[in-house]
Amino acid sequence: MIEYRAARMEDLERLLPLCLAYAAERAALSGQRLAANHAEQVRASMESLLGYPAAFTVVAEEDGQFAGYATATLQEPPPLFDGEPFVFVGDVYVEPRRRRQGIGTALVERLRGWAFLRGVGRLSAVIPARSEAARRLGARLGFAVVEELVYWQEQATEGAGGGTAAG
């Protein structure tokens, strides 16, 4: 039976393999390469989240093994806007062999409960455009697209003389 609970600093070592797998999946979806020191960056980021009072990390655990995790942080709206605080959902990751069992949904519901206990009724998330599973999960949980981030990257092409030129 899967149990859901708040992650603690002492969970960091067991949590890191999932965090690294999530980073690798995100990189593959976006076509980007992970930095050489990505493992150290992931460790520092998770350590910071676990120690930050306005952040919450929840884990799905079964028989001492983590099947997934999700992170959230309490955010204030940018000074340009008037509005209420919101919770930003940073990561939602479930091991591939454990997907489509309701674990992701349950993790996000725990984040929503954490937000509710803080008097916050809005959650925000960035969902990878190439992840149909993430889009389906968001839609099932009532998330609606309100803005799209669009990136442009200059493509390098072979130029005369064997170098590359911007195309």
Side-chain angles (χ1 to χ4, degrees):
M1 178 166 163
I2 295 179
E3 294 182 20
Y4 298 89
R5 65 171 177 82
R8 301 178 297 264
M9 192 63 77
E10 54 267 21
D11 294 323
L12 181 63
E13 293 305 317
R14 290 190 310 135
L15 192 53
L16 282 174
L18 290 179
C19 300
L20 292 169
Y22 177 68
E25 280 190 29
R26 289 289 303 263
L29 279 171
S30 68
Q32 296 179 327
R33 290 188 323 251
L34 290 170
N37 67 339
H38 78 277
E40 293 84 16
Q41 290 179 12
V42 167
R43 172 186 287 280
S45 176
M46 282 309 299
E47 196 168 358
S48 176
L49 277 173
L50 291 171
Y52 184 51
F56 180 59
T57 300
V58 61
V59 293
E61 185 174 21
E62 185 173 43
D63 298 326
Q65 300 294 315
F66 291 151
Y69 78 100
T71 65
T73 54
L74 184 59
Q75 304 280 315
E76 292 292 328
L80 176 67
F81 300 111
D82 222 0
E84 300 293 319
F86 63 95
V87 166
F88 178 75
V89 176
D91 299 354
V92 177
Y93 181 78
V94 176
E95 283 189 311
R97 67 184 182 85
R98 303 302 303 267
R99 292 180 183 162
R100 302 196 57 79
Q101 298 176 26
I103 297 170
T105 298
L107 288 167
V108 175
E109 288 298 340
R110 268 53 177 199
L111 298 180
R112 197 181 328 233
W114 179 80
F116 177 80
L117 291 173
R118 278 145 191 80
V120 176
R122 289 187 320 139
L123 273 69
S124 173
V126 174
I127 296 177
R130 294 185 179 128
S131 176
E132 283 305 313
R135 285 182 172 273
R136 283 191 307 270
L137 176 62
R140 217 174 30 254
L141 291 168
F143 284 80
V145 176
V146 295
E147 191 172 341
E148 286 192 36
L149 296 174
V150 180
Y151 291 94
W152 174 83
Q153 181 175 346
E154 187 173 37
Q155 299 295 317
T157 59
E158 293 250 359
T164 60

